[in-house]
Amino acid sequence: MAGPAGRLDAVLVCGGRWHDFDHARLRLLELLGEHERVRTTVHQDYDCVAELDQADLLVTYTCDVRPRPAQRAALARFVERGGRWLALHGTNSVIEPSTGAGPRVFTTPRHLGELAKVLGSQFLAHPPIEPYEVRVTRPGHPLVAGIAPFTVTDELYVCELHGELEVLLHAEYTGPCRGFAEGDTAALDTAPRPVLYLKRHGLGEVCYFTLGHCRGRYDIQDLGVSDTGRVDVGPWRTPEFLTVLRRCVERAVGGRNPAEERAGA
């Protein structure tokens, strides 16, 4: 649904908890800015239903941002009519830290509802941030062609999966995810962990990339840490991540309607 003279209207939602959203927002806007047809509106949450109803593409980088029922319906409607949604990192997360005495435990309630099925996953847990290997599942796919297995320092997402996913990158992990209420249960699942996948819904498509963690010194003050003493850029200096992310943005901007791809048009 390109606008006048071929303009593409993009919505960027970037906000939430425990991450350096300023860093991610700037980098994502730089990538979108490489495409002169794209004009982007920027939001911190999903209070942008009117923009979604007119958008051609959606990019989200959030953590614990919970769309209300009307917003969930608008997001599903956007994809169903052929929209392209590039969802990054914690978009699929709903996370609640415990309160009171004792060790902090994070729960992951299923407040996304049917939207988890549109996204294809919901976050459950992750082990401590440390380097791990990302492997290529579909080496012939354009998003990952020429990418060799690479090491990244990030949160390795363990997720509850929904529907048929075309997994392009994955990681192997079967250990515990301490500090999460479902961390031990999730560890029993021995399937590879999707890192990048495509999920079709209606006429549109979700491209989900779980990588992208970044955190500044002052981003977890609500957890009682006034200053972490360090800046964590996660994968944002990893060449393979940046290459694949640029390709994902290009697909969202210029990709054909997934229904046309299925028909071989």
Side-chain angles (χ1 to χ4, degrees):
M1 190 176 66
R7 186 190 72 209
L8 295 174
D9 293 319
V11 170
L12 171 62
V13 179
C14 187
R17 310 172 78 180
W18 309 317
H19 292 78
D20 185 351
F21 296 101
D22 289 345
H23 179 88
R25 186 183 303 112
L26 177 60
R27 300 298 296 273
L28 291 169
L29 283 172
E30 288 174 343
L31 290 171
L32 287 166
E34 294 176 359
H35 303 273
E36 62 180 7
R37 298 175 61 200
V38 174
R39 290 295 177 266
T40 305
T41 61
V42 181
H43 308 266
Q44 295 189 71
D45 55 33
Y46 295 105
D47 191 17
C48 52
V49 170
E51 290 87 347
L52 281 172
D53 283 340
Q54 298 299 317
D56 301 290
L57 60 141
L58 168 65
V59 180
T60 57
Y61 180 105
T62 68
C63 178
D64 194 39
V65 173
R66 310 177 187 190
R68 298 188 297 273
Q71 296 168 347
R72 296 199 298 267
L75 289 161
R77 187 166 62 243
F78 165 80
V79 184
E80 286 169 357
R81 65 170 170 80
R84 300 183 293 276
W85 183 357
L86 171 55
L88 297 164
H89 202 46
T91 295
N92 66 351
S93 67
V94 176
I95 307 173
E96 294 182 354
S98 60
T99 59
R104 181 182 290 115
V105 176
F106 294 90
T107 58
T108 51
R110 306 307 195 268
H111 292 334
L112 291 179
E114 292 297 306
L115 190 61
K117 297 180 180 179
V118 177
L119 281 169
S121 65
Q122 179 158 350
F123 171 82
L124 295 181
H126 67 72
I129 299 172
E130 60 184 7
Y132 63 91
E133 185 180 57
V134 176
R135 302 178 183 180
V136 181
T137 319
R138 293 279 306 277
H141 194 280
L143 287 180
V144 296
I147 300 293
F150 61 97
T151 299
V152 68
T153 300
D154 206 318
E155 296 168 334
L156 196 163
Y157 271 20
V158 173
C159 297
E160 180 179 80
L161 304 180
H162 296 275
E164 183 177 348
L165 311 180
E166 184 180 4
V167 179
L168 307 179
L169 296 174
H170 71 276
E172 301 281 352
Y173 185 75
T174 56
C177 300
R178 296 185 176 89
F180 289 91
E182 297 183 57
D184 291 339
T185 302
L188 297 176
D189 178 6
T190 59
R193 312 295 179 184
V195 171
L196 174 68
Y197 66 79
L198 302 175
K199 170 70 162 58
R200 291 165 178 165
H201 181 75
L203 299 177
E205 177 184 83
V206 172
C207 176
Y208 204 110
F209 203 1
T210 65
L211 300 181
H213 176 76
C214 56
R215 181 177 293 149
R217 291 171 53 184
Y218 309 107
D219 291 328
I220 55 174
Q221 293 185 348
D222 64 323
L223 296 179
V225 181
S226 59
D227 182 353
T228 65
R230 62 189 298 266
V231 172
D232 182 0
V233 297
W236 291 91
R237 293 177 183 165
T238 302
E240 293 88 350
F241 166 72
L242 296 174
T243 295
V244 174
L245 178 58
R246 175 171 276 105
R247 292 177 183 178
C248 290
V249 171
E250 290 172 348
R251 181 180 179 90
V253 170
R256 291 186 296 176
N257 185 301
E260 295 177 341
E261 290 187 351
R262 292 197 290 271

